[in-house]
Amino acid sequence: QKEVEQNSGPLSVPEGAIASLNCTYSDRGSQSFFWYRQYSGKSPELIMSIYSNGDKEDGRFTAQLNKASQYVSLLIRDSQPSDSATYLCAVAQGGAQKLVFGQGTRLTINP
Amino acid sequence: GAVVSQHPSWVICKSGTSVKIECRSLDFQATTMFWYRQFPKQSLMLMATSNEGSKATYEQGVEKDKFLINHASLTLSTLTVTSAHPEDSSFYICSPHTRTYEQYFGPGTRLTVT
């Protein structure tokens, strides 16, 4: 079992709709969770971090964390073509803050 | 977030040569730098953790004699790929340790070994 799992997609969503990205992790002791966006040929860009159970909203983005289910998700409201990218879920492990990444979900927003 | 630069942004080298990649933390002092690599259509994998003034810590499966890491100062870490081979062609990205758990990445260096 991979430590951090994501559906690789591709996920296609019409412009203006809600895009839902999911991630599960295996280390029950994990405390810090991150969503990164990566455009083709570029390095990842941090868009959300979440540390507590529940929802965290930032603009059009909402991260959801359920530690009991070892599940973290990212919702993108009012999806725009510029949101088309690969979204990486990352989980920090241990005191050294090492990030373990999922394989990424490729999202395409269709105009 | 942290401001990080990398140089060069891309490099093409011949098999058997060495390539040095520089990573600079521009707006704060980084005692620790993480080095990642990303192969095409794959996710990021942590290679090693460099610590200012001490030896780097390498992840399992990463050859420390092939990927030399030097953390010369609190703002500069370098990764040297020695005797590069085509299978070393990848996207190399650094990320400084910050006071929070959030990690910000440099723009990356794309290495192509011919």
Side-chain angles (χ1 to χ4, degrees), chain A residues 32 34 36 38 41-46 48-49 51 56 88 92 94-104, chain B residues 34 36 38 41-46 49 57 59 91 93 97-108 110:
Chain A
S32 306
F34 308 91
Y36 288 85
Q38 186 175 26
K42 303 294 186 182
S43 68
E45 172 192 9
L46 179 66
M48 289 289 285
S49 59
Y51 307 103
K56 179 182 178 182
L88 299 168
Q97 300 182 20
K98 295 180 180 180
L99 289 185
V100 178
F101 286 84
Q103 67 268 41
Chain B
F34 299 105
Y36 294 84
Q38 185 177 34
K41 300 190 185 301
Q42 295 186 25
S43 194
L44 276 75
M45 293 292 291
L46 179 65
T49 304
T57 303
E59 295 301 301
F91 191 41
I93 315 172
H97 177 294
T98 67
R99 294 186 192 88
T100 72
Y101 282 91
E102 296 177 346
Q103 286 189 23
Y104 299 89
F105 291 91
R110 189 161 303 281

